[in-house]
Amino acid sequence: MDLVKKDMRYICYPFMREASCLVDFEIRTDSLTTSIGTVFPTLEGDNVQIVREDLEKLHPMAYHVNGSVRGKLAVTEEDLQFLSDRYDFYVAHTKEQINRFVLPQGVEAAARLHVCRSEAKKSFRALHKVSEERDVPEILFDYLGLLANVFFVMAVYVNQMSGHEEIEFITKSYPMKKRKEDAS
């Protein structure tokens, strides 16, 4: 018996050698959870306290999403409703700035929230790959998709509260429809 292989200090994650896409999903959602954790030290001032409070609720939820495929489903309709309500809150405060495609940038907290948005999208995609191998509760897709959008509007909100202007991205790759105010 090789004692080195049984020594837990050499095992960073017990399922690492599985062939299932579930491993990639769990690693992706671990990265999402870690990214959320990096936002906290960058949230300064009372004007973004609501973001801190919301992230305190969302941070453990990323791990609940993580375990909801291999283990018991830990995301509820109430969790999804909370996330939907937070989305509506941030949209109500940023609607003038989110009606265009913006570059992911800004003050440090906003930039980190954009990383969280990207990690949520990667987690969604990894979950899709898992769904090709096994049944996945639809609520997990809804939660991750909405979570990515919440991180986007949170980032715009944080920039707004910090007085940082969004930079619009104008694509050279796709035809763009004229907005109503542009058409007049």
Side-chain angles (χ1 to χ4, degrees):
M1 181 180 349
D2 188 353
L3 292 179
V4 174
K5 290 186 182 196
K6 300 244 182 226
D7 190 330
M8 291 303 290
R9 70 181 136 189
Y10 298 105
I11 300 174
C12 63
Y13 171 67
F15 307 109
M16 193 62 83
R17 293 181 186 256
E18 281 185 13
S20 168
C21 289
L22 180 56
V23 173
D24 301 314
F25 167 72
E26 290 170 339
I27 292 169
R28 277 266 58 103
T29 52
D30 181 59
S31 184
L32 168 61
T33 308
T34 302
S35 294
I36 296 168
T38 70
V39 180
F40 288 103
T42 66
L43 291 170
E44 298 175 0
D46 292 339
N47 60 346
V48 291
Q49 182 60 29
I50 189 72
V51 175
R52 174 178 285 286
E53 292 168 8
D54 288 342
L55 287 178
E56 286 171 355
K57 292 183 177 107
L58 298 178
H59 196 203
M61 285 304 300
Y63 271 153
H64 289 309
V65 170
N66 174 300
S68 287
V69 178
R70 188 183 299 273
K72 177 184 168 200
L73 178 63
V75 178
T76 66
E77 288 296 330
E78 292 79 21
D79 297 324
L80 188 60
Q81 185 60 54
F82 170 80
L83 196 56
S84 180
D85 292 345
R86 299 324 301 149
Y87 177 80
D88 292 343
F89 170 83
Y90 291 107
V91 166
H93 287 86
T94 61
K95 60 186 163 203
E96 297 303 316
Q97 287 133 352
I98 61 170
N99 61 1
R100 56 202 168 118
F101 197 83
V102 299
L103 290 171
Q105 54 79 53
V107 299
E108 186 174 0
R112 287 178 186 257
L113 285 163
H114 278 297
V115 171
C116 293
R117 173 191 52 79
S118 182
E119 289 297 329
K121 288 169 63 174
K122 291 174 193 173
S123 296
F124 185 104
R125 180 63 182 168
L127 185 63
H128 167 71
K129 297 306 260 179
V130 172
S131 74
E132 293 176 340
E133 296 177 353
R134 62 170 67 194
D135 288 336
V136 171
E138 191 63 32
I139 194 171
L140 297 177
F141 288 105
D142 292 345
Y143 193 88
L144 284 172
L146 184 54
L147 185 61
N149 292 333
V150 166
F151 287 137
F152 171 73
V153 292
M154 265 185 179
V156 173
Y157 178 85
V158 168
N159 275 339
Q160 178 181 305
M161 293 295 105
S162 301
H164 187 87
E165 290 290 320
E166 296 297 336
I167 300 171
E168 183 173 8
F169 172 75
I170 307 209
T171 182
K172 295 180 184 180
S173 302
Y174 304 104
M176 297 299 290
K177 294 179 184 177
K178 289 204 179 256
R179 291 185 281 193
K180 289 181 183 178
E181 66 268 10
D182 293 341
S184 50

